[in-house]
Amino acid sequence: MEHHLFFLSLVTLFGTLSTLHVPKLDDLSDHDYLHKEVPSYFSKSCCNYNEPNAEDEMNIFIDCRGIINDKYKLQRPKPTGQDEEDRITMISWIWNRTTCFSYCFLHKQGMANEDGTINVETAMKKQKKSIPELVDPEAWTNIEKLCTKPNDDDKETYVCKKDALHFSGCVHDISEYYCPDALQSKGESCVKYREDTKNKYGI
Ligand SMILES: *[C@@H]1O[C@H](CO)[C@@H](O)[C@H](O)[C@H]1NC(C)=O
């Protein structure tokens, strides 16, 4: 599930981005910005975990897309013609959509509480079930310790709490880092990704 969750968040992010005009997007350097802020969204998978059936997640995905449009009214902002202002609004819109989508997605599966925090017990149980190949107990200790709450010094606020988005990206990073040797991609970018993860989370 976790890899589908990651995949679906990615689709949402790009679904959001693809509603922008692409040349404009390049002008806005959203890619650069997002690359810095959410590097895990851009890292390909470096671990060959089995992909479980994603049908249920797909339905939740469709529901949540509707919810972020209707409930949170997160429609694409109208450009004002002021480039810098438009850029800031656009980035804030992308973050608002992405945090709300992640929250909705986890909440519908019982992994996030009503208030946006992670339901640690359910989330851990579901993640363990979805990545049975990840057997290193240290990986699970770190996921619980590092992923269930976002960093305190990140003071930005969005329409939805960041906990769910942080959880998804963090579980992705940590599970990739602890990938069993036999399933690991050894390419240069994967070696670097594991190295970056180690530094980013201090593991
Ligand atoms: C994003 O959310 C913040 C916090 O609720 C809000 O102040 C901001 O206007 C939102 N941005 C957009 C573009 O909707």
Side-chain angles (χ1 to χ4, degrees):
M1 203 294 297
E2 179 268 331
H3 278 73
H4 283 291
L5 171 60
F6 169 69
F7 168 73
L8 293 172
S9 311
L10 189 100
V11 171
T12 305
L13 189 64
F14 284 102
T16 297
L17 293 178
S18 67
T19 63
L20 312 172
H21 300 297
V22 174
K24 184 103 182 169
L25 179 64
D26 288 341
D27 292 339
L28 294 171
S29 335
D30 279 337
H31 276 107
D32 280 359
Y33 177 83
L34 290 165
H35 194 82
K36 252 182 257 140
E37 296 295 320
V38 218
S40 56
Y41 280 103
F42 290 84
S43 54
K44 61 187 167 86
S45 175
C46 289
C47 187
N48 196 21
Y49 289 124
N50 263 326
E51 301 266 334
N53 187 336
E55 234 165 76
D56 292 349
E57 283 90 21
M58 214 37 168
N59 291 333
I60 299 174
F61 173 73
I62 292 162
D63 272 6
C64 287
R65 281 208 82 139
I67 287 171
I68 53 176
N69 289 331
D70 302 341
K71 177 174 171 191
Y72 300 109
K73 303 273 177 255
L74 289 170
Q75 309 288 358
R76 183 184 171 190
K78 293 204 170 42
T80 64
Q82 301 276 334
D83 283 356
E84 182 55 18
E85 197 180 306
D86 285 349
R87 190 182 72 87
I88 292 167
T89 310
M90 202 57 90
I91 288 168
S92 148
W93 175 66
I94 290 168
W95 279 110
N96 282 341
R97 279 183 73 104
T98 313
T99 49
C100 287
F101 178 82
S102 298
Y103 163 68
C104 177
F105 202 76
L106 292 194
H107 181 56
K108 283 188 176 288
Q109 297 173 85
M111 292 194 272
N113 300 310
E114 201 66 47
D115 69 356
T117 56
I118 298 299
N119 180 333
V120 179
E121 199 187 322
T122 306
M124 292 298 294
K125 212 190 288 168
K126 292 208 165 180
Q127 295 298 322
K128 280 182 186 163
K129 210 171 142 204
S130 74
I131 330 174
E133 299 102 322
L134 182 59
V135 289
D136 188 338
E138 190 181 296
W140 292 108
T141 305
N142 276 329
I143 286 175
E144 185 160 354
K145 189 172 95 190
L146 302 166
C147 301
T148 54
K149 263 202 210 114
N151 204 330
D152 275 342
D153 40 74
D154 179 4
K155 300 275 185 256
E156 280 310 319
T157 57
Y158 303 103
V159 169
C160 297
K161 255 189 158 48
K162 282 164 295 192
D163 300 39
L165 179 64
H166 169 77
F167 182 75
S168 320
C170 177
V171 172
H172 178 78
D173 286 342
I174 307 279
S175 61
E176 290 274 319
Y177 179 76
Y178 286 99
C179 182
D181 201 57
L183 302 179
Q184 268 183 27
S185 304
K186 308 285 184 187
E188 204 179 305
S189 65
C190 287
V191 171
K192 181 166 189 312
Y193 172 41
R194 288 189 286 267
E195 192 60 38
D196 290 349
T197 299
K198 187 182 169 71
N199 295 334
K200 177 174 171 190
Y201 296 94
I203 45 181

